[in-house]
Amino acid sequence: MPLVTSTDMFKKAYEGGYAIGAFNVNNMEIIQGIVEAANQEKAPLILQVSAGARKYANPTYLRKMVEAAVIESDIPICLHLDHGDSFELCKDSIDGGFTSVMIDASHHSFNENIKITKEVVKYAHDKGVVVEAELGRLAGIEDAVNVAEKDAAYTDPDQVEEFVSKTGVDSLAIAIGTSHGAYKFKPGTKPQLRFDILEEVAKRIPGFPIVLHGASSVPQQFVEKINKYGGQMPNAIGIPEEMLRQAATMAVCKINIDSDLRMACTAAVREHFALNPSHFDPRQYLGDARTAIREIVRHKLINVLGCAGKA
Ligand code: G3H
Ligand code: 13P
Ligand code: ZN
């Protein structure tokens, strides 16, 4: 089966009350770990590439490795551009064979966001590619995605109908209190998401697929393992898994996870060297990283997203 768009995945996910996992990829072991998990669990899959990933690995390398994953798989796989910040970047990805792009113009004014998104939608739809856009702004600091807490803003449900109808976009990322990175809520605070906003958005645009970014849960066992073997990660709180499960039963059809995979990978590599200080063959420690990524993704597919067995 060739690369697919997310259209059919989202339709089934909305009706079935589950969500598709969208996992960020930066190298071969990450791709293989995720794809192995999805094949084992028979789950539809979105692999996404950020601007930072393009810069690190070269988009052609990533696309060719994802094409290899498609050949080796019997599940539907969608290749998505994560946080495209310009028409040019989206166009380049569409021309390069991606089946889905995100235009993230959420840092612009409402009208400018509509204008840029509409332009991307026109180009993408002419080529059979689907488009995700964002309304509202998530906090969080990563490589190329960087929003200070004071600049974050919840999505305004009053804006979604106009935005969706004027842009013709296929899915919409909203801000309900999730954030990018491994430090989402301060230790000692109680994580909270604005499910009231999600509910209101779903009422305004019934049946329309909603996307949740910044959805890593920051598993405590990874923080502990990283720190046990010489790391210095501050204690952090992510999005509780039961909240993600709840969102998946509502209008949320795509849940983005990156930081948890990074932590799984780092914990495995640190443990590997602590237990095998004489090792120097990358296949040994990257092999452990790949296995750790596979296992955390399997856990997400089965216990968080509910999409195992839905391919
Ligand atoms: O939301 C952003 C993704 O986690 C990608 O992060 O820009 O560091 O590649 P990155
Ligand atoms: P996390 O940093 O919570 O994994 O979010 C990833 C993301 O939203 C990618 O777009
Ligand atoms: Zn994101």
Side-chain angles (χ1 to χ4, degrees):
M1 173 188 326
L3 278 170
V4 298
T5 71
S6 50
T7 307
D8 192 45
M9 292 183 190
F10 288 168
K11 191 172 178 298
K12 290 180 181 154
Y14 202 109
E15 285 163 5
Y18 60 90
I20 310 296
F23 301 100
N24 288 71
V25 297
N26 291 278
N27 69 13
M28 184 185 78
E29 283 77 9
I30 297 174
I31 294 173
Q32 289 179 331
I34 298 166
V35 170
E36 265 178 41
N39 273 294
Q40 274 181 22
E41 299 310 326
K42 304 203 178 333
L45 180 64
I46 299 175
L47 295 173
Q48 53 189 16
V49 173
S50 70
R54 285 171 56 103
K55 205 166 137 207
Y56 173 75
N58 177 319
T60 309
Y61 274 78
L62 290 173
R63 179 167 50 82
K64 290 293 175 191
M65 285 192 285
V66 170
E67 283 172 11
V70 167
I71 292 169
E72 295 293 322
S73 298
D74 46 15
I75 49 165
I77 300 179
C78 168
L79 178 58
H80 175 74
L81 169 69
D82 192 27
H83 293 283
D85 65 351
S86 65
F87 174 81
E88 289 69 30
L89 179 51
C90 292
K91 178 180 180 300
D92 195 65
S93 301
I94 294 163
D95 295 345
F98 281 51
T99 49
S100 174
V101 292
M102 174 189 194
I103 172 69
D104 181 358
S106 59
H107 47 293
H108 292 288
S109 69
F110 181 65
N111 286 333
E112 191 63 15
N113 190 351
I114 290 181
K115 187 171 160 265
I116 298 168
T117 302
K118 204 170 155 184
E119 203 185 346
V120 172
V121 168
K122 164 100 189 70
Y123 190 81
H125 283 185
D126 282 351
K127 311 229 172 211
V129 170
V130 293
V131 181
E132 171 187 329
E134 179 164 326
L135 255 188
R137 294 202 76 189
L138 271 69
I141 298 185
E142 285 178 284
D143 190 355
V145 183
N146 189 330
V147 180
E149 222 168 293
K150 66 172 176 41
D151 297 323
Y154 290 118
T155 302
D156 178 357
D158 283 342
Q159 292 185 328
V160 294
E161 243 180 300
E162 185 184 349
F163 186 85
V164 165
S165 65
K166 283 194 172 160
T167 58
V169 77
D170 302 282
S171 62
L172 185 67
I174 63 168
I176 60 167
T178 61
S179 60
H180 289 112
Y183 311 102
K184 300 184 192 301
F185 300 102
K186 294 193 175 62
T189 61
K190 200 165 166 279
Q192 258 167 352
L193 294 186
R194 292 287 306 272
F195 282 102
D196 58 318
I197 294 180
L198 174 56
E199 223 165 308
E200 193 53 39
V201 166
K203 260 190 224 156
R204 306 291 180 97
I205 44 174
F208 194 82
I210 299 301
V211 179
L212 214 53
H213 282 246
S216 277
S217 296
V218 191
Q220 194 54 33
Q221 78 263 23
F222 293 154
V223 181
E224 278 167 16
K225 199 181 265 189
I226 288 169
N227 291 343
K228 178 177 173 189
Y229 294 118
Q232 293 187 355
M233 271 197 80
N235 242 333
I237 303 175
I239 313 296
E241 290 187 342
E242 56 278 13
M243 289 191 186
L244 297 171
R245 270 199 294 273
Q246 188 182 338
T249 64
M250 299 166 73
V252 170
C253 295
K254 172 175 179 270
I255 293 189
N256 286 11
I257 300 169
D258 186 4
S259 299
D260 285 355
L261 275 52
R262 294 178 177 190
M263 290 174 69
C265 180
T266 301
V269 172
R270 279 195 177 277
E271 183 179 42
H272 185 95
F273 281 120
L275 302 182
N276 305 280
S278 64
H279 279 183
F280 61 93
D281 181 343
R283 291 173 295 188
Q284 293 171 317
Y285 57 87
L286 294 181
D288 277 4
R290 181 171 60 190
T291 303
I293 289 168
R294 183 189 71 209
E295 290 311 305
I296 184 67
V297 172
R298 285 186 61 225
H299 167 74
K300 303 279 180 190
L301 300 173
I302 299 166
N303 301 307
V304 180
L305 302 153
C307 62
K310 306 293 187 186

